[in-house]
Amino acid sequence: MTLPYESIWSKVAPIVAKAERPSRYINHEWGSVCKRDCDFRFCMVYPDTYELGQANQALRILVNAVNRCEGMAAERGFLPAADMCDALRAEGLPLFSIEGCAPLSSFDAIGITLPHELAATNVLEILDLAGIPVRAEDRSDDDPIVVGGGPCALNPEPYALFFDAINIGEGEESLPEGLQVIRALRANGASRAEIRRALAGLEGWYVPQLYRWRGVEEAQAAGSWIEPLEEGVPNVIVKRVYKGFSSSSGWEPCVVPFAEAVHDRLNVEILRGCARGCRFCQAGMMYRPVRERSAENVVSSVLTGLAETGYDEVSLTSLSSTDHSQIREILMRLNKAYADTGVRISIPSQRLDSFGVDMATLVAGQKKGGLTFAPEAGTQRLRDVINKNVTEDDLLGAVDAAFSAGWRRCKLYFMIGLPTETDEDVKGIARLVQKAYERAREVVPKDQRGSIQIGASVALFVPKAQTPFQWDGQIPPEEALRRVNLLRHSVKYRAITISWHDPKTSFVEAVMSRGGREASYLVEGAWKRGARFDAWSEHFNEQAWRDAAADLGFDVEAAAQSSYPLDYVMPWGHISCGTSLKWLARERMLAERAQTTPDCTFDHCSACGVCMSLGIDNELATARVTARGGDER
Amino acid sequence: MTDPNARQLFRLRSTYIETGRLAMLSHLEVAHTLERTVRRAGLPFAVSQGFSPHMKIAFGAALPVGVGSTCEIFDLQLVEYVAPEIALEALRAASVRDLMVQECCYISSKAPAASVAFPFSTYEVVFDGDVGVLDIPETIDVVRKKKEKTLVVSEFLAELPEVSGTVVRFTLEAKANGSLRPDVLLQHCHADAIVVSITRVAQR
């Protein structure tokens, strides 16, 4: 059954030595914390390899939050790379934590974050490698309590079979609360069922096993897919918001990896939330309301963080960093503090106007790599449909500013398959990119025009739970390829490159994004047939998913591609981001009429319902003003 | 020609260990880690001028992945003089245990680079039992840059290995046109026991 908590390093060392990149597994990095004084152990696991998960904010924040609690210790865990998964199985060794190199099954509780839809089979791979039954119902009282959370928890049903409880929303406070409940009950010898029942009573925790899953007719008639099996468990689970965010320090103590990792730099989260209201965007719904950390907080967090970690780069992260009301002040102060030190300051994405470019110029120094912008759609009509409040003039103004300031490369992100899209909109992408290229040529000196590169990256629209487009189906993969080809053939300049994602993986994303509880059987079936690391193109195994679907009689096309009327109850209807269903439906109707809704951090409230239902308002460091002043458009 | 505006730089040579699990780090990973250690230590390091400014730091001869050391070297250029014992203390406070800095001293700006100054490396190899007679081949075939190459062991082996019980010591010389890795040499040697660890114990 479960194993004792002890280091198994001497057993894993020989296979680590032979593994591809041993530094993934060895711990001992700067900042790694091994808390000894505890009576409760928690392992926070990222469902992919070390280099992808090490810098993940959820992992870092939650490990710190749990370690701050007296008597509770938190460690990190990652899914080993495929070679190491196989080597562990071959040697009969269990998956282990990083800090203590202890078997995962020896922990009291395990948390797995769900960062995107293609990590589902990795959750099962983790549990199985750890020797923990993959289905919650098969676990004994001795097995760890397995909890989940993160963006994909906004539609938790495809994960319902595998988790004892799922945390909805921000976990800074709710995860330690949940763990304290588990700790107290385990200390008293409570059963797994009793622990689940107690977790279901906490705000923001969903315990799938306590609900019966209804059939489609029954669900539509009842207005909900779930029926509580016990009295007193909630019918609707509302997301948690960390109300102390804006006043808390932006310096989050972190581990400095040996291995080269994704986002391997100091990350300071300068604000949370984005109210621009793009109708396809789940993050925009998930992290409302908008909360800014003050310039003072951000600057001192960066100073402390760089001194403590030794990083030579800091990223000021958020969903829209250039929207921070004090961004100019923050960048000017940091520039002054780090002049001639080789420290780089970066902002993850640029606001699509000349102000965004101004801010990028402030921190770029001499080295101007590339700028990225996300117009998302090629025509004004479609940009209005998705509420991307950006005009062609904004984009061309940004291109003007960027290429005048010395940039020579620019990447533009678009989506295809957005609701109401026509061939005109697809050709519009080509027109817009060409205009951007022509504008760039105008401002770049003649002898340097050859170095201009403009890339357009095209992703297939994936309908996401809790957004105004949740009722809209995805276009079939073959139709997506037709539209990509239409776009490619509409581009006439060789300096423009078009890249696109494989629509087959986007299709699985849509199935996972919109599926109900049946989808968790599909995940299990796909994993049993060998699916894992679905987000890695070299590992993606479409046939495993197809075979699992055929075996279950699961209509994956319907799950991904069906569109529903706005009164249809979606399978995540019992989960709430605080946005009212009425507002989501109204936004969808405005989309149909190509009418936009303003950003409430610049303009008036659009009555999404978040502030009212969660008891918190937007918290801005100072008033926001747009580059042009006044109205956004 | 010397630039009259150039500031005088101070060249600090540090030795450090690479032990335990951290012997599994690659040369690049160690280099990144040491740069960050220097930043954490708050030393006044020099930054190169130009398009992509970076710390003026140089490393000794690379250690193969899996081989530990008690005597690795890096050279750092400082823009201000810091007493060696103060620099050592700051570096130690910023180092992880198994990559701990041991000594700091200043060297001449004209001294040869750490990567070429010490062509002889002595390794200590611990086996899991009595080694018996270590059978060393005359030549070893290695693949380098997709080309097969035959190395004559005696050209690299500076002195014959010393065997005492479970421990073997030998010294290899790095040549301008290549070198023989200690782990590769051991893979081709025949012994009665299995290698437990390889450690570089001296560089000269």
Side-chain angles (χ1 to χ4, degrees):
Chain A
M1 276 304 269
T2 60
L3 299 164
Y5 179 89
E6 61 185 16
S7 171
I8 57 167
W9 174 254
S10 60
K11 291 181 193 150
V12 300
I15 61 168
V16 169
K18 279 182 249 156
E20 167 198 43
R21 296 209 213 185
S23 55
R24 285 165 169 158
Y25 312 106
I26 61 177
N27 187 40
H28 293 196
E29 312 100 314
W30 182 260
S32 164
V33 173
C34 208
K35 191 170 165 185
R36 309 236 171 250
D37 189 20
C38 68
D39 58 51
F40 183 89
R41 293 186 186 277
F42 173 67
C43 188
M44 186 68 210
V45 189
Y46 188 83
D48 212 312
T49 59
Y50 178 94
E51 63 271 26
L52 291 173
Q54 169 44 41
N56 180 265
Q57 302 252 23
L59 206 74
R60 191 175 103 198
I61 290 173
L62 297 176
V63 164
N64 288 345
V66 175
N67 271 335
R68 274 194 290 271
C69 302
E70 207 192 326
M72 296 210 287
E75 300 187 20
R76 292 166 292 155
F78 301 94
L79 179 60
D83 70 315
M84 186 69 173
C85 290
D86 297 344
L88 286 173
R89 281 205 177 91
E91 296 292 324
L93 289 168
L95 181 56
F96 51 90
S97 66
I98 295 294
E99 282 80 356
C101 198
L104 245 61
S105 63
S106 69
F107 285 77
D108 294 290
I110 290 177
I112 305 177
T113 182
L114 303 169
H116 56 76
E117 290 86 354
L118 296 177
T121 54
N122 285 358
V123 170
L124 278 72
E125 185 74 352
I126 287 165
L127 294 171
D128 187 63
L129 272 175
I132 299 168
V134 297
R135 286 195 187 188
E137 64 186 30
D138 295 334
R139 286 175 205 143
S140 74
D141 289 349
D142 291 335
D143 287 309
I145 303 291
V146 181
V147 301
C152 292
L154 293 187
N155 172 19
E157 294 307 328
Y159 309 89
L161 273 184
F162 321 120
F163 286 98
D164 292 295
I166 296 174
N167 180 54
I168 313 294
E170 297 169 3
E172 276 96 340
E173 293 164 325
S174 62
L175 178 68
E177 280 170 27
L179 295 181
Q180 293 287 18
V181 165
I182 299 170
R183 178 191 188 187
L185 288 172
R186 271 175 89 99
N188 290 333
S191 69
R192 180 169 295 267
E194 287 168 309
I195 293 171
R196 280 187 196 141
R197 183 67 185 74
L199 286 173
L202 296 178
E203 275 178 47
W205 284 91
Y206 174 54
V207 179
Q209 276 76 35
L210 296 181
Y211 302 86
R212 183 176 73 84
W213 189 250
R214 292 174 165 139
V216 56
E217 280 88 20
E218 191 191 347
Q220 297 308 317
S224 175
W225 286 82
I226 58 166
E227 181 195 356
L229 293 170
E230 289 178 32
E231 245 174 74
V233 296
N235 285 305
V236 174
I237 297 88
V238 182
K239 81 166 182 200
R240 289 287 296 269
V241 170
Y242 173 39
K243 293 183 181 171
F245 176 84
S246 54
S247 56
S248 63
S249 171
W251 158 236
E252 192 71 48
C254 65
V255 167
V256 183
F258 299 118
E260 252 186 280
V262 172
H263 301 308
D264 188 15
R265 53 184 168 242
L266 177 68
N267 291 297
V268 171
E269 193 180 4
I270 66 169
L271 74 102
R272 194 174 283 183
C274 171
R276 292 200 158 236
C278 297
R279 289 169 179 144
F280 55 83
C281 179
Q282 191 180 44
M285 305 299 152
M286 176 168 181
Y287 296 106
R288 286 176 182 227
V290 175
R291 291 147 286 158
E292 293 181 350
R293 282 177 169 144
S294 69
E296 195 54 48
N297 181 345
V298 170
V299 172
S300 73
S301 298
V302 172
L303 293 173
T304 310
L306 287 177
E308 297 271 339
T309 59
Y311 275 124
D312 62 356
E313 183 177 3
V314 56
S315 178
L316 304 176
T317 65
S318 78
L319 295 170
S320 57
S321 296
T322 33
D323 278 340
H324 192 293
S325 60
Q326 297 171 315
I327 188 68
R328 186 184 291 274
E329 180 192 340
I330 291 170
L331 296 180
M332 306 264 275
R333 286 174 67 179
L334 291 178
N335 259 352
K336 208 172 153 194
Y338 292 106
D340 303 320
T341 58
V343 166
R344 290 186 302 278
I345 299 154
S346 61
I347 342 176
S349 62
Q350 267 68 49
R351 186 161 119 183
L352 227 175
D353 55 23
S354 54
F355 178 77
V357 176
D358 282 353
M359 294 302 104
T361 310
L362 261 183
V363 292
Q366 280 182 288
K367 197 175 181 176
K368 292 190 174 66
L371 279 188
T372 53
F373 298 108
E376 308 290 4
T379 59
Q380 194 58 48
R381 183 200 70 81
L382 192 52
R383 284 194 296 275
D384 289 344
V385 166
I386 64 177
N387 203 43
K388 184 86 196 179
N389 281 312
V390 154
T391 62
E392 190 171 299
D393 285 346
D394 290 327
L395 172 67
L396 298 179
V399 167
D400 243 358
F403 285 84
S404 305
W407 271 281
R408 293 293 174 263
R409 278 193 291 132
C410 168
K411 195 161 192 185
L412 303 171
Y413 284 98
F414 293 94
M415 265 190 244
I416 53 160
L418 286 161
T420 79
E421 183 181 68
T422 64
D423 283 1
E424 268 317 290
D425 297 305
V426 178
K427 289 183 206 155
I429 296 175
R431 270 197 298 274
L432 190 65
V433 179
Q434 283 170 176
K435 272 190 189 169
Y437 173 68
E438 285 157 8
R439 187 64 74 94
R441 279 182 65 89
E442 279 172 33
V443 297
V444 168
K446 225 176 184 170
D447 57 324
Q448 293 175 29
R449 284 183 190 156
S451 60
I452 298 174
Q453 286 176 35
I454 296 202
S457 175
V458 191
L460 176 55
F461 165 70
V462 176
K464 301 268 183 169
Q466 319 291 348
T467 67
F469 289 167
Q470 63 179 2
W471 292 280
D472 290 276
Q474 187 182 58
I475 58 171
E478 48 279 19
E479 170 63 9
L481 283 178
R482 186 193 69 81
R483 292 188 198 184
V484 166
N485 284 327
L486 176 63
L487 168 61
R488 288 170 62 206
H489 294 132
S490 308
V491 172
K492 60 181 180 191
Y493 297 118
R494 285 171 65 190
I496 297 173
T497 50
I498 308 282
S499 55
W500 63 96
H501 296 276
D502 178 10
K504 284 177 186 150
T505 51
S506 306
F507 172 72
V508 173
E509 283 180 272
V511 174
M512 290 299 296
S513 179
R514 306 180 87 212
R517 196 168 285 192
E518 320 78 59
S520 61
Y521 296 91
L522 178 68
V523 173
E524 191 184 43
W527 170 74
K528 279 186 176 161
R529 287 168 176 79
R532 59 178 178 176
F533 295 104
D534 296 308
W536 298 50
S537 49
E538 67 267 43
H539 290 299
F540 178 64
N541 180 348
E542 191 197 5
Q543 202 54 47
W545 288 89
R546 291 273 168 202
D547 291 347
D551 196 40
L552 290 164
F554 187 112
D555 187 346
V556 279
E557 271 74 21
Q561 295 160 9
S562 299
S563 289
Y564 300 96
L566 298 183
D567 58 358
Y568 184 85
V569 182
M570 298 305 284
W572 48 88
H574 47 288
I575 304 295
S576 169
C577 271
T579 45
S580 76
L581 197 59
K582 215 189 222 168
W583 181 79
L584 291 177
R586 179 169 168 271
E587 281 295 300
R588 182 62 187 88
M589 287 189 289
L590 290 174
E592 205 60 35
R593 302 201 292 261
Q595 282 181 15
T596 62
T597 299
D599 178 340
C600 63
T601 61
F602 288 96
D603 208 312
H604 62 80
C605 167
S606 73
C608 71
V610 165
C611 295
M612 287 285 276
S613 69
L614 302 176
I616 173 173
D617 290 335
N618 286 333
E619 292 174 350
L620 305 181
T622 181
R624 283 182 173 185
V625 280
T626 62
R628 284 147 288 161
D631 190 79
E632 253 301 89
R633 294 294 308 275
Chain B
M1 223 177 90
T2 52
D3 178 357
N5 296 321
R7 295 160 80 182
Q8 189 195 346
L9 294 181
F10 302 88
R11 195 168 165 208
L12 186 76
R13 173 159 291 175
S14 304
T15 56
Y16 64 96
I17 57 168
E18 193 177 326
T19 54
R21 300 180 192 183
L22 300 199
M24 293 184 192
L25 297 182
S26 70
H27 187 62
L28 196 64
E29 289 169 337
V30 172
H32 276 158
T33 304
L34 291 173
E35 276 194 45
R36 288 166 183 173
T37 305
V38 169
R39 285 178 185 276
R40 285 195 293 268
L43 294 178
F45 57 86
V47 176
S48 69
Q49 301 296 302
F51 191 66
S52 176
H54 58 270
M55 180 185 293
K56 287 194 166 180
I57 187 169
F59 304 95
L63 202 58
V65 173
V67 177
S69 176
T70 57
C71 56
E72 294 306 288
I73 298 159
F74 72 89
D75 293 343
L76 179 68
Q77 311 250 29
L78 299 181
V79 295
E80 279 165 39
Y81 177 83
V82 179
E85 62 276 13
I86 305 282
L88 178 64
E89 197 181 322
L91 285 168
R92 288 182 67 90
S95 295
V96 294
R97 197 188 59 204
D98 284 333
L99 274 182
M100 189 56 75
V101 178
Q102 304 293 306
E103 277 174 52
C104 291
C105 65
Y106 284 98
I107 57 167
S108 153
S109 60
K110 295 187 180 70
S115 55
V116 294
F118 308 103
F120 294 94
S121 288
T122 303
Y123 297 92
E124 190 172 280
V125 186
V126 177
F127 287 79
D128 68 346
D130 252 9
V131 181
V133 178
L134 191 70
D135 202 1
I136 304 167
E138 273 177 32
T139 60
I140 293 175
D141 293 334
V142 293
V143 178
R144 208 164 279 160
K145 289 178 185 161
K146 290 182 184 169
K147 272 190 198 155
E148 198 152 304
K149 207 173 160 184
T150 302
L151 302 178
V152 178
V153 174
S154 60
E155 285 178 14
F156 297 91
L157 206 54
E159 50 216 58
L160 279 180
E162 255 173 66
V163 182
S164 74
T166 59
V167 178
V168 174
R169 276 172 82 102
F170 57 84
T171 300
L172 291 172
E173 183 182 0
K175 304 276 176 159
N177 59 344
S179 50
L180 175 59
R181 286 172 45 162
D183 50 338
V184 172
L185 172 63
L186 287 162
Q187 279 160 20
H188 291 84
C189 290
H190 180 80
D192 294 342
I194 294 169
V195 174
V196 175
S197 68
I198 312 172
T199 310
R200 174 144 74 187
V201 292
Q203 294 196 66
R204 60 184 163 87

